[in-house]
Amino acid sequence: MTLVNYQAMTLKELRRYVLTHREDISAFHAYIDRSKSEGRMITINPNDENWEEQIQQAIIQDGDE
């Protein structure tokens, strides 16, 4: 089995890798950890009446990058 260096990948490359290697749980964890550390993860409060708008804004911002 080939060892993959997740740290050498950009976040975009790592995302692509995770999507094509869905069985690689270590890659998934690396992606989530890196996304959190780079401020790419969002949290919502379902009790907030504007939660849908927050998600839409996050999607728009993600598409701009």
Side-chain angles (χ1 to χ4, degrees), residues 28-41:
F28 175 74
H29 287 279
Y31 176 74
I32 294 299
D33 290 344
R34 178 120 41 104
S35 293
K36 284 180 182 178
S37 71
E38 292 185 16
R40 305 279 303 184
M41 299 293 284

Side-chain angles (χ1 to χ4, degrees), residues 2-3 10-11 15 17 21 27-28 33 36 38 42-43 45 53-54 59 63 65:
T2 305
L3 295 178
T10 66
L11 187 59
R15 179 180 183 274
Y17 178 85
H21 298 89
F28 175 74
D33 290 344
K36 284 180 182 178
E38 292 185 16
I42 62 165
T43 57
N45 177 354
E53 184 178 320
Q54 292 172 2
I59 292 169
E65 295 177 3

Side-chain angles (χ1 to χ4, degrees), residues 2-64:
T2 305
L3 295 178
V4 179
N5 185 355
Y6 309 125
Q7 298 305 317
M9 296 180 188
T10 66
L11 187 59
K12 217 175 235 190
E13 291 169 332
L14 184 54
R15 179 180 183 274
R16 224 171 314 164
Y17 178 85
V18 167
L19 290 173
T20 57
H21 298 89
R22 294 177 187 266
E23 75 288 348
D24 191 339
I25 301 303
S26 296
F28 175 74
H29 287 279
Y31 176 74
I32 294 299
D33 290 344
R34 178 120 41 104
S35 293
K36 284 180 182 178
S37 71
E38 292 185 16
R40 305 279 303 184
M41 299 293 284
I42 62 165
T43 57
I44 61 162
N45 177 354
N47 296 321
D48 181 350
E49 60 187 45
N50 296 319
W51 69 267
E52 289 179 272
E53 184 178 320
Q54 292 172 2
I55 291 175
Q56 289 173 349
Q57 286 296 341
I59 292 169
I60 290 168
Q61 288 175 350
D62 189 47
D64 292 342

